[in-house]
Amino acid sequence: MATPRVPGERDDDITLPCGESVSLGELDMGMREYACSCGERHAVVMDVHPPGRFVPEEIVAVLRETVETDDDHGEFGTTHLMGIVLEEFPDQVVAEDVSENGQVGYSLVWLTDFDSRRLHGIVVELIVELMEHAISHAEDDDAASSFEEQMLEFDVDAFVEAYRVERDFEDEYDRPA
């Protein structure tokens, strides 16, 4: 049975993977990291953040064309990317549905045990794995071979560094690349 509450009263604390907690009031939509009292920085992702936060819009467009979603979230996006991260790192990611809280401006929030730079690298690695899986099902052997050759030369860390500089993640007004 639900516990009765005073109208307007909300339990808006989220327990982080490190065991500390953060109030939803401390998280704003421009935030990419939370400096925790544990001494670490935790990546913050919200459903309103575009997937272009992690990869160029051209790649997002290809993912949307090729990945079929079977849920209420519509086309492939940040919610799906974070679902993949959560699946790979279940003990290092906290996901919270805050859709009942009309004061925050977002419906879902994820906080990770790692910082935003590490999360960015993880997301790119998981997208590459998704693409490798998709190309392995292609009937075009030349395309599969070409993709494999390109991936041998692809440096995730170098890509993430360059993309973060291009996107200027220090500025809350960053735009898609």
Side-chain angles (χ1 to χ4, degrees):
M1 183 169 142
T3 306
R5 298 184 312 177
V6 174
E9 179 183 282
R10 289 195 173 90
D11 179 19
D12 66 352
D13 283 352
I14 300 173
T15 302
L16 300 166
C18 67
E20 298 292 327
S21 63
V22 60
S23 169
L24 283 177
E26 294 180 64
L27 305 176
D28 66 64
M29 290 189 288
M31 186 177 276
R32 301 294 188 253
E33 280 189 339
Y34 172 72
C36 185
S37 60
C38 76
E40 298 296 324
R41 299 183 70 77
H42 302 285
V44 177
V45 180
M46 298 165 187
D47 61 333
V48 295
H49 294 164
R53 168 181 173 174
F54 301 107
V55 293
E57 293 300 320
E58 297 83 33
I59 293 175
V60 173
V62 169
L63 289 168
R64 286 184 172 151
E65 282 180 29
T66 56
V67 177
E68 291 182 27
T69 60
D70 189 14
D71 57 30
D72 297 335
H73 298 288
E75 65 187 3
F76 188 85
T78 301
T79 303
H80 300 97
L81 286 175
M82 291 309 297
I84 297 168
V85 173
L86 182 60
E87 187 175 306
E88 290 291 319
F89 300 93
D91 297 332
Q92 295 174 290
V93 179
V94 171
E96 199 71 34
D97 180 346
V98 295
S99 57
E100 296 296 317
N101 185 331
Q103 297 182 11
V104 294
Y106 49 90
S107 296
L108 296 168
V109 61
W110 297 267
L111 295 121
T112 70
D113 204 26
F114 25 82
D115 65 14
S116 65
R117 167 62 184 80
R118 176 71 182 119
L119 173 63
H120 195 160
I122 287 169
V123 168
V124 171
E125 289 169 3
L126 292 172
I127 288 173
V128 169
E129 285 179 24
L130 182 67
M131 293 167 78
E132 284 175 338
H133 179 75
I135 200 77
S136 73
H137 292 288
E139 294 179 14
D140 185 346
D141 291 337
D142 291 336
S145 295
S146 175
F147 182 80
E148 286 178 26
E149 285 176 27
Q150 291 174 26
M151 287 303 101
L152 290 174
E153 296 175 16
F154 183 67
D155 183 339
V156 171
D157 290 330
F159 168 82
V160 168
E161 286 306 315
Y163 194 69
R164 291 175 75 81
V165 167
E166 184 175 328
R167 287 292 307 270
D168 186 18
F169 283 108
E170 298 302 316
D171 182 352
E172 67 183 63
Y173 303 105
D174 65 308
R175 296 199 188 292

